[in-house]
Amino acid sequence: MGFHRKIWLAATLLAFGLAAAQASAQTIKIGMISSYSGLNGDIGPVMEKAMRLYMQEHAKDLPPGVKVELLTRDDTGPVPDKAKQLAQDLIIRDKVQLLTGVIFTPNALAIAPLVTEAKVPFVISNAGTSMITTKSPYIARVSFTLWQSSYPMGGWAAKHFKRAYTMVSDYGPGYDAEEAFTKAFKTGGGEIVGSVRVPVISPDFAPFMQRVKDTKPDALFVFVPAGATATAVMKAFGDVGLKAAGVKLIGPGDITDDQELDNMGDVALGVTTAFHYSEAADRPANKAFVAAWSKAYGLKPVPNFTAVGSWDSMDAIYYVIREQKGKIDPDKTMELLKNYKNANSPRGPISIDPNTRDIVQNEYLREVRKVNGHYINAEIETIGTAVKDPWKELNGAK
Ligand code: PHB
């Protein structure tokens, strides 16, 4: 073979090689919307950290040549117009193939019509109002619903208390928590002696707590968004003297978010909640998750339920990418999401209910305790196994 022919062959092979590499090297863009400022502005980074940790640990599980790019955006808190604008830009300008994230219900609802129109699968990592998933066939939820925690909590509370007061944030997840708890508590023979809805952003809880104190209930059931608002609840509960008066504080686990326990301090001790995730759970999958988080980021903050919701969202997304060998078809993606399962989530076994595209998971009864100098949500018992969203179960909603 002459020299020139050899060069030509080498060049041709190189060109073919490059073309082949280009054909298989594809990047799947995923839009992630969360709050990096405003209410719960500290949660966006937690969710992103969980997703990036997953991506780092599971890059090897992607089909050869497939890469994932996460485009993160700040919705600035419960601001639906902002969330809608961000989703629109991600879909139209950045051409993302999937959307994920979203802490707040109003934001998820604002995005729903866009993902329906554009056929962009939307994997919800937090927003917890039951009806969200009914608003688009392109939504699947990997997080939780308030009904899932508050309904079993109502049943448990009815066995321990006669008179309860409810206090919830004045928006979707608050209404769900109130309705779910009230229904189960009354069915179990309990009496609701007062209920109040408080502003979502920065309410002064003291006057509300004073009214509760005057009513002398056995228990106060509270839902507010996890984070600084829950810490404000806890402080007011202590300051107004409800804890000293022997009123038991109960609720979904949002009010004793793992990340806020150190800010809350002793007043949180003994608070009892129902929830799907505790950082302190001793399941091996959780131990491994917390260890990986600790190694990557340290334990201030510890990974909380928003971290696990985000980790599991990525697990569901990597599953649909693998099953489609890197070629994302929206309808095929939704079919796959409907049958998504993970026996080994840090929170225990999870799956998506194919009829509703909503999460199915265990609910644990937990109590805040101090162990070796750390405040934790100690899981006491499993009060619901493979719990489907009770609101959909009771109302036949899809
Ligand atoms: C919601 O807006 O759906 C939401 C926000 C924070 C929570 C739970 C639910 O802790």
Side-chain angles (χ1 to χ4, degrees), residues 40 103-106 126-129 132 144 146 171 173 223-226 254 305:
N40 285 8
I103 299 173
F104 292 105
T105 289
N126 191 75
T129 303
I132 293 173
F144 58 91
L146 273 306
Y171 80 126
F223 166 79
V224 293
D254 308 72
F305 69 100

